[in-house]
């Protein structure tokens, strides 16, 4: 029995900080086959750019209500490195890692756990957007 190929999306995720005000996150999901797109954005009282970038990724992945192939396009080295190098180790080590000789919780582990759950449904490839 043949199964239909997974829908392929481009997920663009970004964030911006407003000094002394917090920051905003935004994502755009584009269906590669149809060109249809969906976007969302919001403001958060967070002044950590990397956390906002990761939040945009989480919200974008969670906006897809079926299994899909996702090409994530991000400017964030933090997100790129976490997906490519950190996630498997963090999961295996109970969301802890060694930092300067001490075992501490992984930064933003709450959001990384949500990314990890999304990976149960979606096949994600991360591309670093450089210009």
């Amino acid at each position: 029995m043949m199964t239909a190929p997974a829908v392929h999306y481009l997920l663009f995720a970004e964030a911006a900080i407003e000094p002394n005000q917090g920051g905003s996150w935004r994502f755009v999901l584009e269906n590669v086959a149809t060109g249809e797109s969906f976007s969302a954005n919001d403001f958060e009282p967070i002044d950590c750019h990397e956390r906002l970038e990761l939040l945009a990724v989480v919200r974008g992945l969670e906006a897809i209500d079926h299994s899909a192939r996702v090409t994530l396009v991000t400017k964030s080295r933090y997100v790129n490195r976490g997906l490519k190098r950190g996630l498997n180790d963090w999961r295996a080590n109970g969301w802890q890692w060694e930092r300067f000789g001490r075992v501490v919780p992984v930064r933003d582990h709450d959001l990384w756990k949500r990314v990890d759950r999304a990976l149960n449904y979606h096949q994600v490839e991360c591309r670093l957007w450089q210009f």
Side-chain angles (χ1 to χ4, degrees):
M1 182 171 153
M2 294 185 72
T3 59
V7 176
H8 183 196
Y9 289 98
L10 293 177
L11 170 57
F12 299 91
E14 63 182 354
I17 296 288
E18 296 294 327
N20 302 317
Q21 295 181 23
S24 59
W25 57 266
R26 175 177 185 254
F27 73 80
V28 177
L29 271 172
E30 182 179 321
N31 184 313
V32 172
T34 67
E36 293 178 24
S37 66
F38 170 77
S39 65
N41 63 289
D42 203 356
F43 183 83
E44 302 286 336
I46 299 170
D47 63 357
C48 178
H49 196 261
E50 291 172 331
R51 183 169 175 84
L52 284 167
E53 289 171 325
L54 184 56
L55 182 59
V57 171
V58 167
R59 296 280 168 85
L61 290 172
E62 291 178 349
I64 305 169
D65 62 358
H66 53 276
S67 290
R69 193 172 132 225
V70 180
T71 301
L72 168 62
V73 181
T74 180
K75 297 177 192 176
S76 173
R77 284 191 167 86
Y78 173 67
V79 170
N80 186 52
R81 286 180 186 149
L83 280 168
K84 290 185 176 179
R85 296 189 211 152
L87 204 55
N88 290 331
D89 290 340
W90 299 334
R91 183 185 324 107
N93 294 318
W95 303 97
Q96 308 265 329
W97 72 303
E98 185 177 333
R99 182 174 178 168
F100 302 114
R102 294 183 27 225
V103 176
V104 297
V106 170
R107 185 174 57 148
D108 301 321
H109 63 275
D110 58 325
L111 296 179
W112 283 114
K113 286 179 183 179
R114 289 168 65 181
V115 168
D116 193 42
R117 273 194 301 276
L119 293 177
N120 289 324
Y121 303 99
H122 307 308
Q123 176 189 347
V124 178
E125 177 186 2
C126 187
R127 299 286 177 119
L128 199 55
W129 176 16
Q130 297 177 333
F131 50 91

